[in-house]
Amino acid sequence: MAFEKLTNSIDELNDNVKAFAHSNAEYYKLLIFKQSSKSAISLVTFLIVAFALSTAVAFVSMGIAFAISAALEQPSSGFFIVGGFYLVMIVVFVIFGKKPLTKFMLKKFSREIFNEDD
């Protein structure tokens, strides 16, 4: 009788361990799905906003270049000035902006991915 109880308890323990392992595996599958979905949505949103913003910047830059060219009465001078401005901006970013941007992006993505409130 005691041997049968022990055998039943061991069988129950084995079943419970299997159920726990299965539940744990399903939980991590869902967690990975959630995080990858959030990442994909963030990436697509970023790409759409980046495309729209770059298109807007291109049109505004063209307008400014035409306005400067008309003001200086030189057809290409406005485009060279706007292009030079963007080159200066790139150099300033490369020198000073990489570290703050990296910090900002790490904080943003870690907040997005590891936020368990959703």
Side-chain angles (χ1 to χ4, degrees):
M1 182 83 170
F3 183 70
E4 287 178 21
K5 267 187 161 179
L6 182 63
T7 304
N8 287 340
S9 295
I10 290 174
D11 288 340
E12 282 181 36
L13 177 65
N14 190 21
D15 291 341
N16 287 339
V17 168
K18 285 181 184 178
F20 173 74
H22 180 71
S23 297
N24 211 12
E26 292 298 315
Y27 169 76
Y28 283 112
K29 282 183 194 176
L30 285 172
L31 185 64
I32 290 169
F33 175 74
K34 175 186 171 185
Q35 290 177 347
S36 61
S37 296
K38 285 174 115 178
S39 298
I41 290 168
S42 295
L43 178 65
V44 169
T45 302
F46 172 77
L47 291 175
I48 290 171
V49 169
F51 175 74
L53 187 62
S54 64
T55 302
V57 167
F59 280 115
V60 169
S61 296
M62 296 264 297
I64 291 171
F66 280 123
I68 292 172
S69 294
L72 296 177
E73 296 177 357
Q74 295 289 327
S76 61
S77 62
F79 291 96
F80 287 121
I81 291 171
V82 171
F85 172 75
Y86 283 125
L87 284 176
V88 169
M89 293 288 291
I90 290 169
V91 169
V92 167
F93 173 74
V94 168
I95 293 172
F96 299 111
K98 198 170 186 180
K99 190 172 182 178
L101 179 66
T102 303
K103 263 187 188 177
F104 172 76
M105 295 301 283
L106 283 174
K107 284 181 184 178
K108 173 97 169 122
F109 285 135
S110 64
R111 203 176 306 128
E112 189 72 29
I113 290 175
F114 297 114
N115 188 4
E116 295 297 326
D117 294 337
D118 296 338

